[in-house]
Each structure stands twice: as structure tokens, then as C-alpha cells.
Amino acid sequence: MRLDICPKCTHILSAPATSCPRCGVIFAKLAQAGLHKKRTATQPENDGVRQQLCHVKTGENSLVIGIKALFLLLLILYGFKLMLTSIQNFPDSGWWLHAVNLVFHEAGHLFFSPFGRFLQVLGGSLGQLLIPTVVIGVFLWQRDTFGAAVGTWWLGESLLDIAPYINDARAGQLILLGGVTGSEVEDYHDWEVLLTKLNMMQYDHTLARLSFGIGSLLMLIAMLWGSLLLWKGWQTRSRG
């Protein structure tokens, strides 16, 4: 193809050429560089997100990576134990983490209380989901991706923890804070109140399974994510 003007210095070419006699640029290399720039410009955001999520601290001590691996193994074993537990039996399997979640659940009720009765009631479940979400965001901000993976595991577990409460909306048999059940005290069971107001009481079991399923998926993602990060960290570990 005839080139009449140099694309770099705009020198007028008197005949077809592979390079510019004035600036010396090689046209083939210039075209190749332009193509590469165009390709990289189409995916900067995706590459940036991928790099952020897969970022590892290079040069970590082998002992630190080993401790992280042991902690992740505990999360994996306990995570599968929880995920393989039925929604009905879950309260007996996740009681110690439930105690942690309960603190943020009750704090959520208090935090959302100025925004009306509906949000006050919903605030309990929102509270125990918002805190792990904030933890994930803080760790990502600090470029601590392993911490973010652990936070994702906690967010998934918290969704599992909410599922039995949703599932009990109609039955009202769960022992709630104060030692009573929803069937014993009127307007006390969060999800009975919420689903009644939304006219969705018939979907309590479906919503419970959805919460449990999404939570399980998040926990699996966290386990795989953490494993990938540790593998990359082991490859760049400090041997000193």
C-alpha cells in the first residue's frame, strides 16, 4: 500500500517506502505499536480489577504463609461442615460464629432504628451482612487480598446464619434472644414481621434456601481465592 505522508512527522513521500527519510521511523513498527496501544486501551479496567484481586505481598516469610495456610484450612473444613448442614440443623452447628454475628445483628437494629419500624427490623440482618462487607472493603483498600478473602468467607457464613431465621418465619419455633420463640411473643420474630409486611410469608423457605445458596457460593469463592493467593505468595516467598 502506497504511503504518501509519514504518520509521525507528516513528511510527504515521493515514492512508496518502508521508513521515513526525514525522521527515520519504520512504518511497520509504528503500526505494530499503535495496534498494541489500542488493544491495551480496551481492557485497562478489567486488568486493573484482576490485578487488585490477585495482588499478593511478595517476599513474605514462609512461616507467615504457613500460618495463613493453616488458618485457611480451618476455614475450608469448617466451611464445608456448615455448608453440608441442613438449614433446620444449622443453629446447632454454627453456634459460636452465631454469637459473633448476633452482636452486629443487634447493633444493626439499633443503628437503623431512626429510619422507621421496617428498617429497624430489617437492620438486624443487614447489620450482620454490612460488617463483613466493610471488612472486605477495608482489606481491599489496604491491598490485603487474603484478608478480603477471609472477609468474603465471613459474609457467606453470615448469609448461612440468616437462613434458619428466614426459614422459621411461619413456624416460629427458633429460640430467640430472651429465651422465647416467635410463636410465643407477637411482633418479635424479625422475618415474621418482614415477610408479613411484604405479603411474602409463603416464600420463607424459598428465601431461606436462596440465602443459604448464595452464602455457600461466597464461601466457596473465598476458599478458592485464598488458596490461589497463598499459592502465588508461596512462589514469591522470602527464603531467608
Side-chain angles (χ1 to χ4, degrees), residues 21-189:
R22 172 184 287 181
C23 65
V25 67
I26 299 175
F27 299 137
K29 289 186 176 180
L30 187 64
Q32 185 177 6
L35 181 62
H36 176 71
K37 184 177 180 181
K38 182 178 180 180
R39 286 176 178 174
T40 54
T42 58
Q43 299 178 335
E45 185 175 347
N46 291 339
D47 289 344
V49 172
R50 189 182 303 112
Q51 290 176 2
Q52 183 178 7
L53 293 179
C54 295
H55 171 77
V56 295
K57 298 178 181 178
T58 58
E60 275 194 330
N61 188 280
S62 299
L63 178 61
V64 174
I65 297 176
I67 293 173
K68 286 183 176 181
L70 180 60
F71 182 62
L72 179 62
L73 178 61
L74 293 175
L75 292 183
I76 291 173
L77 294 175
Y78 191 63
F80 274 105
K81 178 181 184 295
L82 295 179
M83 288 186 292
L84 295 176
T85 302
S86 67
I87 294 177
Q88 291 78 7
N89 295 328
F90 187 84
D92 296 327
S93 299
W95 63 269
W96 70 274
L97 267 177
H98 173 71
V100 175
N101 293 329
L102 184 60
V103 174
F104 301 111
H105 183 101
E106 295 305 317
H109 284 313
L110 182 62
F111 180 81
F112 285 97
S113 59
F115 305 105
R117 172 63 174 162
F118 185 84
L119 278 179
Q120 179 189 17
V121 176
L122 181 60
S125 296
L126 285 179
Q128 69 178 84
L129 296 178
L130 284 175
I131 296 302
T133 303
V134 170
V135 168
I136 295 169
V138 170
F139 276 124
L140 286 177
W141 179 262
Q142 296 176 342
R143 303 202 73 188
D144 185 345
T145 45
F146 185 79
V150 173
T152 302
W153 186 97
W154 181 20
L155 177 60
E157 184 278 331
S158 196
L159 280 164
L160 265 63
D161 186 63
I162 291 171
Y165 203 7
I166 303 174
N167 198 63
D168 186 62
R170 272 181 290 181
Q173 296 302 308
L174 276 182
I175 303 297
L176 306 177
L177 194 65
V180 297
T181 66
S183 59
E184 293 175 320
V185 181
E186 186 179 358
D187 202 33
Y188 189 66
H189 191 297

Side-chain angles (χ1 to χ4, degrees), residues 194-216:
L194 294 171
L195 295 182
T196 298
K197 287 183 177 294
L198 293 171
N199 293 319
M200 295 178 62
M201 185 63 78
Q202 68 273 27
Y203 300 115
D204 57 348
H205 300 326
T206 301
L207 292 173
R209 288 193 293 268
L210 181 62
S211 179
F212 203 90
I214 294 175
S216 298

